[in-house]
């Protein structure tokens, strides 16, 4: 090949038939090549050996001399390694979508220009896996195409579980939106997710532990948390939370010493410049404090941490009983969390739980704080029982703020038993809860494959043992000794289509649940403490427990509402003491209709002894409609003279709580706050 021929060939490569060698357009070709663009070969070298070099030089020279020529830009591919995949994986690259079913090397069929950006998003993955891009650790990544042969983007898939649940207001079951759910593995944060408008959240997390700690927080609500044991090969974990509204939301100057009050009670005492940011700097401007008083006597479920403490030195776990707790959080004007400065402790006063007689309360009590990362209570410091202006507290010094609890470890025994269904078949996975009647504590286990369980409880105590699975439940009241107790009969789970649970505080001392409904002979039945069961054909209604000395719960379970008609539900103040009241420490009725939960509190206004809560209306097809009443009555719609001698017997069985003559009657500040807010028109 001669010199002229080589130049023409190089030009053909660059200009793609621009006319080199074409006899019809020789002038245009000649004009496109000047003397400087001529190609030459060094002596004694084969022209083909440097063909690529000459072509590149010719390309640059001819492009410069003819700016109208279009030169194709180089394109690059994206590839990488998929590891750990056990099913279908699909992801998108810009608008194109790709699918893989096995681990290994992949290369996208699309090509991309240098300098362009490719957005990669994982669309679908196996249900039990979490797949992320290795470079970012996220499910989305943006890759900038560089001047290399290809971009390597690896994808790693690991075992994972889906966590989901609802975050609701404890007192009215309303949804809490924008609540933050933090999930920990006991050491590190696994991930965070916020609730939506209906209080629901869902997320998928990769875990390498059999236990997760959940922490829930929302503006104007106290923090709450607990731990969940993860069963092997579990795909989903349900973790619901009921949050208690704060009792005080205070704004103050952090440069000044201050006592933070809840209804006139000094709960937290701070010195000047007591609070700092995470970096140790002092906050600028005002500081916001949210304080929540936790009284476990109204419902042990209000307390975070499930009453389980852990010894940091040994790792041993123990059960604790609470004498009261508070949750306190601080934030600056920008919403950043604050803590106590180093070497500047604060003083706290924990109001004594409402069901504890100060005479019986220990003079000195260990303090425990809730470790949200671990999901356990940790002992740190002590508090002394004091009385100030008729109010009883455990007063102590703390070095940081979270939920602080005045607790003590108690000695336990085990309550053993079995759970069966209505056909006497053992039931596994049933939640078994022991709840103290004369102490504020609880413990929870699950029944095994044979329906057997062994749940701890405090020795020599009055205890309720609940068995619950979905809408099915049962409860038994018992007194423990100091040795293992075995129930004589199995707990039978009834598939209740409806259940109604009444709970309340220490006063009034005795509230009673009453349910009326139709019978086949056009009469009426009445389920209450004097007639705890009604059975007719397919309908079975029973009062599981009658509580006569405060707090409840009293639960009415309904297997089936077979007869059409109205079924009204009432709460009666049997003790005739202080009026029924609502709010953060008042009476609460929880209605569950085939999985749907409704929460009621007493209406405001002048109270009577009868609270008409709701009516269930059943049509001919056994469809249930809820009609909310929420009114006060002076008497039940039933001739109370027909209640019989059971009422008199009950009256002799209860007595209101009294204190030693030298002690001052105590009332938890949460209760006083509610009275002032809702019932200041009452004498």
């Amino acid at each position: 090949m001669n010199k002229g021929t080589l130049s023409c060939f190089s030009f053909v490569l660059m200009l793609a038939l621009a006319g080199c060698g074409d006899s019809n357009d020789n002038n245009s070709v000649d004009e496109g090549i000047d003397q400087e663009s001529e190609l030459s070969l060094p002596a004694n070298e084969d022209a083909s050996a440097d063909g690529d070099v000459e072509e590149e030089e010719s390309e640059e020279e001819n492009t410069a001399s003819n700016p109208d020529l279009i030169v194709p830009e180089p394109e690059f591919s994206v590839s990488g390694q998929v590891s750990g995949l056990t099913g279908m994986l699909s992801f998108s690259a810009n608008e194109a979508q790709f699918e893989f079913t096995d681990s290994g090397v992949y290369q996208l069929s699309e090509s991309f220009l240098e300098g362009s950006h490719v957005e990669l998003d994982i669309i679908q993955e196996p249900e039990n896996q979490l797949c992320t891009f290795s470079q970012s650790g996220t499910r989305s990544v943006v890759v900038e195409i560089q001047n290399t042969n290809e971009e390597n983007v690896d994808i790693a898939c690991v075992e994972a579980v889906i966590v989901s649940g609802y975050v609701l207001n404890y007192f009215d079951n309303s949804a809490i939106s924008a609540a933050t759910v933090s999930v920990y593995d006991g050491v590190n944060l696994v991930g965070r997710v916020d609730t939506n408008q209906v209080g629901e959240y869902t997320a998928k997390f990769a875990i390498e532990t059999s236990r997760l700690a959940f922490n829930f927080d929302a503006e104007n609500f106290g923090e709450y948390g607990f731990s969940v044991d993860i069963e092997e090969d579990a795909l989903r974990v349900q973790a619901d939370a009921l949050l208690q509204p704060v009792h005080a939301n205070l704004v103050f100057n952090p440069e000044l010493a201050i006592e933070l009050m809840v209804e006139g009670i000094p709960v937290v005492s701070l010195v000047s410049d007591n609070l700092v940011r995470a970096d140790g700097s002092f906050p600028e401007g005002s500081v916001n404090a949210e304080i929540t008083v936790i009284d476990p006597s109204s419902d042990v479920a209000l307390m975070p941490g499930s009453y389980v403490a852990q010894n940091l030195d040994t790792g041993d776990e123990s059960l604790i009983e609470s004498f009261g707790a508070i949750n306190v959080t601080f934030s600056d004007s920008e919403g950043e969390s604050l803590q106590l400065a180093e070497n500047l402790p604060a003083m706290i006063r924990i109001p004594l739980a409402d069901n504890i007689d100060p005479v019986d309360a220990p003079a000195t009590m260990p303090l425990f704080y809730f470790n949200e990362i671990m999901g356990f209570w940790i002992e740190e410091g002590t508090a002394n029982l004091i009385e100030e202006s008729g109010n009883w507290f455990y007063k102590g010094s703390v070095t940081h703020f979270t939920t602080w609890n005045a607790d003590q470890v108690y000695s336990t025994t085990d309550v053993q038993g079995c759970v069966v269904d209505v056909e006497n078949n053992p039931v596994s996975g049933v939640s078994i809860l022991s709840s103290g009647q004369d102490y504020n504590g609880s413990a929870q286990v699950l029944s095994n494959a044979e329906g057997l369980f062994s749940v701890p409880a405090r020795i020599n105590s009055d205890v309720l043992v609940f068995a619950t699975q979905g809408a099915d439940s049962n409860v038994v009241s018992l007194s423990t000794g100091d040795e293992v107790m075995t129930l004589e009969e199995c707990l039978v789970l009834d598939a209740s289509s409806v259940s109604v649970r009444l709970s309340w505080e220490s006063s009034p001392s005795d509230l009673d649940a009453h349910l009326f409904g139709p019978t086949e002979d056009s009469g009426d039945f009445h389920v209450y403490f004097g007639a705890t069961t009604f059975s007719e054909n397919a309908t079975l209604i029973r009062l599981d427990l009658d509580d006569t000395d405060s707090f409840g719960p009293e639960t009415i379970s309904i297997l089936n509402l077979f007869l059409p008609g109205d079924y009204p539900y009432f709460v009666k103040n049997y003790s005739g003491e202080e009026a029924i009241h609502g709010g953060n420490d008042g009476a609460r009725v929880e209605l569950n209709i085939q999985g749907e939960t409704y929460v009621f509190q007493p209406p405001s206004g002048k109270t009577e002894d009868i609270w008409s809560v709701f009516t269930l209306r059943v049509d001919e097809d056994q469809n249930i409609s809820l009609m909310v009443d929420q009114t006060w009555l002076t008497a039940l719609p039933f001739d109370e003279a027909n209640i019989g001698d059971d009422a008199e017997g009950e009256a002799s069985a209860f007595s209101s709580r009294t204190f030693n003559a030298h002690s001052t009657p105590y009332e938890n500040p949460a209760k006083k706050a509610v009275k002032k807010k809702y019932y200041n028109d009452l004498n």
Side-chain angles (χ1 to χ4, degrees):
M1 181 181 295
N2 59 33
K3 182 177 179 180
T5 303
L6 178 61
S7 298
C8 184
F9 178 70
S10 299
F11 205 28
V12 167
L13 288 178
M14 287 302 301
L15 303 185
L17 302 181
C20 179
D22 190 340
S23 60
N24 295 328
D25 198 12
N26 288 333
N27 292 334
S28 63
V29 174
D30 292 338
E31 291 174 359
I33 306 177
D34 56 21
Q35 293 181 349
E36 293 180 357
S37 67
E38 290 189 14
L39 302 179
S40 61
L41 291 176
N44 301 324
E45 283 197 28
D46 188 351
S48 62
D50 287 335
D52 291 343
V53 175
E54 293 188 7
E55 289 176 10
E56 291 177 1
E57 293 176 352
S58 175
E59 176 183 332
E60 294 175 356
E61 293 170 355
N62 284 290
T63 301
S65 64
N66 190 347
D68 294 332
L69 295 178
I70 300 176
V71 179
E73 296 186 50
E75 295 183 341
F76 304 93
S77 62
V78 175
S79 64
Q81 177 82 27
V82 178
S83 60
L85 183 63
T86 61
M88 173 67 72
L89 170 69
S90 64
F91 70 89
S92 63
N94 290 344
E95 296 183 357
Q97 185 169 329
F98 306 89
E99 293 184 349
F100 307 94
T101 56
D102 297 302
S103 297
V105 177
Y106 76 89
Q107 181 170 347
L108 302 186
S109 57
E110 299 288 321
S111 297
F112 307 94
L113 298 178
E114 180 182 357
S116 64
H117 292 81
V118 182
E119 182 177 352
L120 303 177
D121 295 285
I122 293 176
I123 301 173
Q124 182 179 350
E125 64 201 346
E127 184 180 23
N128 65 333
Q129 288 197 297
L130 178 66
C131 298
T132 58
F133 295 103
S134 301
Q135 287 89 332
S136 63
T138 63
R139 296 169 59 82
S140 298
V141 67
V142 176
V143 178
E144 182 178 359
I145 303 300
Q146 304 292 333
N147 187 12
T148 58
N149 288 333
E150 62 184 33
E151 294 295 331
N152 291 314
V153 182
D154 294 337
I155 301 173
C157 299
V158 296
E159 298 301 311
V161 296
I162 299 172
V163 297
S164 60
Y166 287 89
V167 181
L168 307 173
N169 185 323
Y170 173 86
F171 293 102
D172 61 12
N173 235 45
S174 60
I176 302 177
S177 61
T180 299
V181 183
S182 302
V183 183
Y184 301 90
D185 62 6
V187 178
N188 300 307
L189 175 69
V190 175
R192 284 195 173 97
V193 60
D194 291 341
T195 59
N196 59 21
Q197 291 299 313
V198 296
E200 185 181 19
Y201 73 93
T202 183
K204 183 184 287 189
F205 296 128
I207 61 171
E208 298 179 356
T209 180
S210 60
R211 186 184 183 100
L212 291 178
F214 288 78
N215 191 72
F216 305 86
D217 191 21
E219 186 176 359
N220 297 320
F221 288 87
E223 293 181 315
Y224 190 75
F226 52 79
S227 296
V228 176
D229 291 325
I230 310 301
E231 296 182 8
E232 188 176 358
D233 299 326
L235 295 179
R236 295 179 176 271
V237 175
Q238 182 80 14
D240 301 325
L242 298 174
L243 304 189
Q244 182 180 1
V246 299
H247 288 98
N249 197 322
L250 309 173
V251 178
F252 62 95
N253 183 351
E255 297 178 355
L256 304 177
I258 190 173
E259 288 193 330
L260 303 179
M261 315 288 283
V262 177
E263 286 300 314
I265 298 174
V267 175
V268 178
S269 299
L270 300 174
V271 300
S272 60
D273 293 324
N274 216 163
L275 300 170
V276 294
R277 300 187 182 97
D279 61 5
S281 63
F282 292 105
E284 298 179 1
S286 60
V287 164
N288 176 261
E290 291 186 344
I291 303 176
T292 308
V293 177
I294 303 173
D295 184 359
S297 64
S298 59
D299 188 346
V300 292
L302 285 171
M303 189 70 67
S306 303
Y307 298 90
V308 180
Q310 187 179 77
N311 187 308
L312 291 179
D313 295 328
T314 64
D316 294 338
E317 298 177 14
S318 54
L319 292 175
I320 55 177
E321 59 176 312
S322 175
F323 289 71
I326 59 172
N327 174 258
V328 183
T329 60
F330 297 98
S331 59
D332 63 14
S333 57
E334 297 179 356
E336 183 175 346
S337 296
L338 304 175
Q339 272 293 350
L340 292 175
E342 188 175 1
N343 300 320
L344 281 180
M347 192 66 65
I348 63 171
R349 293 172 179 84
I350 299 176
L352 187 66
D354 202 51
N355 65 338
I356 304 295
D357 188 331
V359 174
D360 299 328
T364 301
M365 181 69 63
L367 285 176
F368 289 75
Y369 71 88
F370 183 64
N371 186 313
E372 64 181 39
I373 297 176
M374 300 174 61
F376 290 110
W377 292 99
I378 307 299
E379 183 176 352
E380 183 179 293
T382 59
N384 297 318
L385 182 66
I386 64 169
E387 183 268 335
E388 294 179 355
S389 303
N391 299 304
W392 290 90
F393 311 94
Y394 276 106
K395 181 179 179 180
S397 176
V398 299
T399 59
H400 56 95
F401 275 102
T402 173
T403 301
W404 283 96
N405 203 345
D407 300 88
Q408 65 182 8
V409 175
Y410 60 82
S411 299
T412 65
T413 185
D414 286 335
V415 178
Q416 298 180 347
C418 51
V419 187
V420 296
D421 59 21
V422 292
E423 297 180 352
N424 206 38
N425 299 311
V427 184
S428 64
V430 178
S431 171
I432 308 297
L433 176 75
S434 67
S435 179
Q437 286 292 84
D438 53 2
Y439 67 98
N440 297 320
S442 67
Q444 187 171 18
V445 299
L446 297 177
S447 62
N448 65 16
E450 289 76 38
L452 303 176
F453 66 84
S454 180
V455 61
R458 195 180 75 169
I459 63 172
N460 303 318
S461 301
D462 296 329
V463 179
L464 295 178
V465 176
F466 297 88
T468 307
Q469 189 176 64
D472 304 349
S473 64
N474 203 336
V475 61
V476 62
S477 177
L478 53 87
S479 295
T480 62
D482 54 7
E483 297 182 354
V484 174
M485 170 180 284
T486 301
L487 300 181
E488 294 182 359
E489 297 181 353
C490 291
L491 297 176
V492 180
L493 286 183
D494 286 341
S496 303
S497 59
V498 177
S499 65
V500 191
R501 183 178 187 269
L502 167 66
S503 60
W504 67 98
E505 278 282 353
S506 61
S507 183
S509 62
D510 188 7
L511 298 183
D512 289 325
H514 294 258
L515 180 70
F516 296 87
T519 62
E520 283 191 330
D521 59 2
S522 300
D524 295 293
F525 72 80
H526 179 195
V527 170
Y528 69 110
F529 63 86
T532 58
T533 301
F534 170 75
S535 178
E536 190 171 78
N537 291 332
T539 297
L540 174 62
I541 302 174
R542 73 163 187 240
L543 174 64
D544 292 334
L545 180 74
D546 173 39
D547 186 277
T548 63
D549 54 1
S550 304
F551 306 106
E554 291 194 7
T555 301
I556 292 180
S557 300
I558 305 172
L559 179 62
N560 185 26
L561 293 175
F562 179 73
L563 291 174
D566 288 350
Y567 297 77
Y569 177 88
F570 305 89
V571 174
K572 180 181 178 179
N573 183 358
Y574 185 86
S575 60
E577 300 170 349
E578 179 183 333
I580 303 174
H581 62 276
N584 287 15
D585 70 333
R588 179 177 185 267
V589 170
E590 182 177 313
L591 167 66
N592 187 289
I593 306 176
Q594 298 171 337
E596 293 291 330
T597 301
Y598 306 86
V599 175
F600 303 93
Q601 287 191 288
S604 58
K606 181 173 174 55
T607 62
E608 301 290 351
D609 283 343
I610 307 299
W611 169 24
S612 178
V613 187
F614 61 81
T615 296
L616 300 178
R617 177 163 292 174
V618 180
D619 64 19
E620 297 292 339
D621 297 322
Q622 280 74 57
N623 297 312
I624 302 174
S625 300
L626 172 63
M627 299 184 298
V628 178
D629 192 359
Q630 289 292 76
T631 59
W632 296 106
L633 302 175
T634 57
L636 290 168
F638 188 84
D639 185 2
E640 295 189 64
N642 293 332
I643 289 180
D645 295 333
D646 292 310
E648 182 178 354
E650 185 198 34
S652 63
F654 84 90
S655 59
S656 60
R657 178 171 62 92
T658 57
F659 292 100
N660 184 283
H662 298 288
S663 66
T664 302
Y666 171 75
E667 189 172 44
N668 191 280
K671 174 174 290 187
K672 293 196 289 187
V674 170
K675 288 180 183 176
K676 180 176 180 181
K677 181 174 182 181
Y678 296 104
Y679 297 97
N680 53 10
D681 57 331
L682 301 179
N683 295 322

